[in-house]
C-alpha cells in the first residue's frame, strides 16, 4: 500500500469499494461489516441462480472467492504503508454442499499481530496462516479454507 492509499484506506471505503467490485458483486459476495480496527470482517455469499453448480448448490469457485483477498486487505489496514502484504497460498476443503446463503467471519487476534511484528521487525519475511470456516444459514461448516500470506516490512522501514 502506498502513502496516498493509506490516507483513504478506511473500513467504510473498503466495504463500499468491495461491495461494488464486479467479481464480488457478480459472485453474490457481500461484506456485511468491517470493524474500525480492521480486525474483524463478516461476509455473506448469497445463493443465486447464476452461482449454483450442476447440483443446484453453491459453486465452489464462489466459495473460494468469498475468502480471497480478505486477510490481505485486513492486514493492509492494520499494518498500513510500512509493509508488503500478499496472498501466497490457499487451499479449500469442501465438507458438505452449500445449499443456502453462506457466511464467513474473519478475525485477527493480538497474539497473531504480535507474532507478525516480531518476525518482521528486521525485514524478515513472515508467512502467517489463517483458517476460515464457511458456514451455511444453520451454522454448519460447509467448507474450510486455509490461507497463507506473505508479509514483509518495506526496506525504508526496517531497523538495521
Amino acid at each position: 500500500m502506498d502513502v496516498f492509499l493509506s490516507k483513504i484506506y478506511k473500513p467504510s471505503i473498503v466495504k463500499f469499494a468491495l461491495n461494488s467490485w464486479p467479481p464480488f458483486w457478480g459472485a453474490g459476495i457481500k461484506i456485511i461489516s468491517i470493524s474500525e480496527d480492521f480486525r474483524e470482517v463478516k461476509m455473506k455469499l448469497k445463493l443465486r441462480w447464476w452461482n449454483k453448480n450442476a447440483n443446484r448448490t453453491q459453486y465452489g469457485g464462489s466459495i473460494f472467492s468469498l475468502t480471497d483477498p480478505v486477510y490481505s486487505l485486513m492486514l493492509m489496514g492494520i499494518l498500513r504503508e510500512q509493509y508488503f502484504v500478499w496472498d501466497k497460498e490457499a487451499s479449500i476443503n469442501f465438507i458438505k454442499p452449500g445449499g443456502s446463503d453462506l457466511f464467513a467471519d474473519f478475525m485477527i487476534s493480538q497474539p497473531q499481530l504480535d507474532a507478525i511484528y516480531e518476525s518482521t521487525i528486521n525485514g524478515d519475511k513472515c508467512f502467517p496462516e489463517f483458517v476460515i470456516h464457511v458456514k451455511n444459514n444453520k451454522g454448519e461448516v460447509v467448507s474450510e479454507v486455509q490461507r497463507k500470506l506473505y508479509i514483509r516490512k518495506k526496506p525504508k522501514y526496517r531497523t538495521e
Side-chain angles (χ1 to χ4, degrees), residues 44-57:
K44 177 181 182 177
L45 173 59
K46 187 130 178 87
L47 181 61
R48 296 182 173 155
W49 67 268
W50 65 81
N51 66 358
K52 290 181 181 179
N53 60 25
N55 294 309
R56 311 300 294 155
T57 61

Side-chain angles (χ1 to χ4, degrees), residues 2-160:
D2 65 19
V3 175
F4 171 74
L5 184 58
S6 73
K7 291 179 182 179
I8 62 167
Y9 201 83
K10 310 271 187 253
S12 60
I13 293 171
V14 172
K15 180 181 174 186
F16 174 79
L18 288 177
N19 283 339
S20 303
W21 191 39
F24 268 20
W25 180 83
I29 297 169
K30 182 177 183 178
I31 295 176
I32 298 167
S33 66
I34 302 176
S35 66
E36 284 302 312
D37 61 2
F38 282 101
R39 291 189 189 196
E40 292 185 36
V41 173
K42 295 184 182 299
M43 298 184 64
K44 177 181 182 177
L45 173 59
K46 187 130 178 87
L47 181 61
R48 296 182 173 155
W49 67 268
W50 65 81
N51 66 358
K52 290 181 181 179
N53 60 25
N55 294 309
R56 311 300 294 155
T57 61
Q58 290 280 8
Y59 171 63
S62 296
I63 296 171
F64 202 55
S65 293
L66 174 67
T67 69
D68 188 13
V70 182
Y71 274 112
S72 289
L73 295 173
M74 292 169 73
L75 283 163
M76 286 171 67
I78 294 168
L79 301 174
R80 310 308 288 176
E81 72 275 0
Q82 295 185 9
Y83 289 82
F84 295 113
V85 180
W86 296 89
D87 275 314
K88 182 169 174 38
E89 293 177 20
S91 65
I92 188 166
N93 178 20
F94 297 106
I95 297 169
K96 66 186 301 182
S100 69
D101 292 350
L102 300 180
F103 302 88
D105 294 339
F106 303 79
M107 290 175 243
I108 298 175
S109 68
Q110 189 59 50
Q112 288 171 315
L113 286 176
D114 291 343
I116 290 167
Y117 288 130
E118 185 175 324
S119 63
T120 60
I121 195 161
N122 294 319
D124 293 331
K125 299 171 189 172
C126 177
F127 303 102
E129 296 186 33
F130 300 93
V131 175
I132 306 106
H133 293 101
V134 179
K135 299 178 181 179
N136 62 18
N137 59 7
K138 295 178 184 175
E140 302 165 325
V141 176
V142 172
S143 65
E144 181 180 86
V145 182
Q146 297 175 330
R147 293 220 162 253
K148 181 187 281 189
L149 276 61
Y150 165 97
I151 301 174
R152 190 171 191 189
K153 200 172 238 192
K154 291 179 180 177
K156 67 180 179 180
Y157 297 105
R158 296 177 192 162
T159 56
E160 298 300 322

